[in-house]
Amino acid sequence: MFFRKKEADPRTASQRTPGVSETQAGSQPVSLGGHGASSGDAATTMVLDALGGVITALARFPVDLPHRPAAETTKEMTTWQRHATMGLPIEGGEEGGASVGIGDRDWRGLVRAVAALRRDEQSSVDALVSELRTALWSCVSAVHEAVRIDDDAEAQTGTHLALVKKAVNGTTMSTIKDDVLSAVSEIDRTLKERREEQQRQYKTLASSLDALGRQLEEAKKESATDQLTGVGNRKHFDLMSGRAVQLFSLGRTPVTLLMIDLNKLKVINDSYGHPVGDAAIASVAKALWKVFLRQSDVICRYGGDEFAVILNSCDLLVAQTLAKRLVEQVRTLPLPSPAMEFALGASVGVAQLVAGEDVTQWVARADRAMYQAKKQAMGGVMIADAGSGLAPTSQLRSA
């Protein structure tokens, strides 16, 4: 219970704390004890310190509620903490103006604010518990229904078997025959209904599992797709390039890697903006889709403005032809901005996988060839040799 402290004689207060008025003394957040301080002031300070600590805890550890964000709770409780301990007035939830004494602070408002917060928290907890109970009871009801169906079928079967036993003890053959046929017919009907119900349950379960499977497959596909271009991302390339090396080690079927770089992307970004640069990258991806049409061709965005294409069952000669076709396709792409003063271009490095080579070495050879191609004025195609260097100059042909 909060109460208004009895007013003391101003002269006594002045003598007790020289140079400090009663209002100022009541607004101090620190201890008022010490030499010359009364035990009442020290006790008041202890209470204010404890109260401030409680309100600070409410402000520091808020909970997101449906109609009260955690940030709002922190702001409100911080304002009340400053009002209670330092006397800063509450004006529309904001602090301001001169501090007020202990007796003039809005203790009832503080109680109402804390009570409202606890009510909101309790309501939120009750709602969450209710939702959990509903979910649990739904599960219990589903299990109960399945058990009930089986129990009903077992009960009906037991009843019909009892009729069979009764019929066996019958006095006449006609009675036995009629009772047995009736019991068998009922048992057959019960088992048929049970099978039909189980099939309905299986179909429902299969439908749910099928939908879940499609969602998982879509999520898996999305995780392996570059969002800007729609081709495979770096994660997909790492997976498929590793598989290509493994398959090559088994069957020696030729597989070739193309590393592709969009020329002058930095100039495009700096001169026309990154949206135009992104549009240029997306355009190159479209050109890739037009050139590499086989289902076994793996098209990926390697990073930034670089793409990688894995051509399974494809030798160096065919890969070189496709690379040249790609370079020409990129040069004829529509400009991503009417303000652009030069056509798009691409540089391609081509490397056929050799025995004993791992993915890192394979990519490095194709990458070096690509950077050699970039040194040409308009870009083009460079073929990497089977070693660490490039093919002889006579074999290097611009697209």
Side-chain angles (χ1 to χ4, degrees):
M1 175 66 71
F2 298 101
F3 56 89
R4 180 183 294 274
K5 186 178 178 182
K6 183 178 179 181
E7 298 294 340
D9 189 326
R11 291 173 296 179
T12 303
S14 299
Q15 294 171 0
R16 183 174 63 247
T17 310
V20 180
S21 68
E22 180 184 356
T23 301
Q24 292 171 329
S27 67
Q28 299 302 310
V30 297
S31 176
L32 298 178
H35 297 294
S38 69
S39 60
D41 289 331
T44 300
T45 300
M46 292 176 63
V47 172
L48 290 179
D49 287 345
L51 179 61
V54 172
I55 304 175
T56 299
L58 294 175
R60 287 183 59 191
F61 307 106
V63 177
D64 269 320
L65 303 175
H67 305 294
R68 184 198 287 260
E72 180 181 319
T73 298
T74 296
K75 181 179 179 180
E76 180 183 4
M77 290 298 105
T78 299
T79 301
W80 279 110
Q81 188 269 347
R82 293 171 178 172
H83 175 72
T85 60
M86 294 183 286
L88 298 178
I90 304 292
E91 295 180 3
E94 298 292 338
E95 60 180 81
S99 60
V100 297
I102 294 178
D104 295 322
R105 298 174 194 177
D106 188 3
W107 300 114
R108 294 183 182 277
L110 171 60
V111 172
R112 287 194 297 269
V114 174
L117 172 62
R118 296 296 294 123
R119 283 196 299 270
D120 289 347
E121 291 175 343
Q122 184 63 45
S123 298
S124 178
V125 170
D126 289 343
L128 291 174
V129 171
S130 177
E131 291 177 2
L132 178 60
R133 286 174 178 167
T134 301
L136 289 175
W137 276 116
S138 297
C139 179
V140 170
S141 299
V143 174
H144 171 75
E145 184 64 19
V147 173
R148 185 193 64 77
I149 293 172
D150 287 344
D151 288 345
D152 289 347
E154 292 292 342
Q156 293 178 19
T157 302
T159 300
H160 301 321
L161 288 176
L163 292 177
V164 173
K165 292 178 180 179
K166 179 181 178 181
V168 171
N169 296 324
T171 56
T172 63
M173 288 297 298
S174 61
T175 301
I176 294 174
K177 180 180 179 181
D178 291 342
D179 289 345
V180 169
L181 289 177
S182 175
V184 170
S185 176
E186 289 299 319
I187 291 174
D188 182 65
R189 182 184 63 81
T190 300
L191 293 177
K192 182 178 179 180
E193 290 178 352
R194 184 177 181 179
R195 286 193 299 270
E196 290 176 349
E197 182 61 29
Q198 287 177 338
Q199 289 176 354
R200 283 195 292 270
Q201 291 179 350
Y202 291 151
K203 288 181 180 179
T204 300
L205 178 60
S207 177
S208 299
L209 292 176
D210 184 58
L212 178 60
R214 288 196 301 270
Q215 292 175 0
L216 292 175
E217 187 64 28
E218 290 174 0
K220 179 180 178 182
K221 182 179 179 181
E222 182 177 349
S223 69
T225 303
D226 178 66
Q227 297 301 311
L228 175 62
T229 61
V231 301
N233 57 18
R234 175 62 182 273
K235 178 181 177 181
H236 187 58
F237 172 80
D238 291 342
L239 173 65
M240 300 307 293
S241 59
R243 290 181 179 178
V245 171
Q246 292 172 348
L247 290 174
F248 175 75
S249 66
L250 295 177
R252 299 300 187 205
T253 302
V255 55
T256 305
L257 172 65
L258 276 62
M259 295 297 294
I260 303 143
D261 182 85
L262 172 61
N263 297 337
K264 299 182 179 179
L265 178 64
K266 187 176 186 306
V267 176
I268 296 174
N269 286 332
D270 293 345
S271 302
Y272 309 104
H274 286 275
V276 176
D278 288 345
I281 293 173
S283 296
V284 174
K286 293 179 181 178
L288 290 168
W289 285 117
K290 292 180 180 180
V291 174
F292 304 103
L293 303 174
R294 298 183 308 166
Q295 189 173 1
S296 61
D297 296 340
V298 180
I299 306 173
C300 300
R301 186 181 178 188
Y302 192 77
D305 59 344
E306 290 188 25
F307 292 85
V309 179
I310 302 173
L311 301 176
N312 294 289
S313 301
C314 179
D315 60 21
L316 196 59
L317 182 61
V318 175
Q320 182 183 15
T321 301
L322 292 173
K324 292 179 178 180
R325 187 181 303 170
L326 172 65
V327 171
E328 291 297 331
Q329 184 73 33
V330 171
R331 287 175 180 170
T332 59
L333 288 173
L335 297 179
S337 170
M340 281 186 59
E341 300 177 351
F342 56 88
L344 296 177
S347 301
V348 185
V350 184
Q352 183 173 330
L353 184 63
V354 297
E357 193 172 37
D358 60 21
V359 173
T360 301
Q361 295 167 331
W362 188 25
V363 171
R365 284 199 301 120
D367 213 38
R368 284 193 296 270
M370 179 192 71
Y371 279 103
Q372 190 68 21
K374 285 179 68 69
K375 295 179 180 179
Q376 301 182 76
M378 297 295 293
V381 178
M382 285 289 181
I383 308 298
D385 67 5
S388 59
L390 299 173
T393 307
S394 61
Q395 298 181 27
L396 301 179
R397 299 186 180 278
S398 174

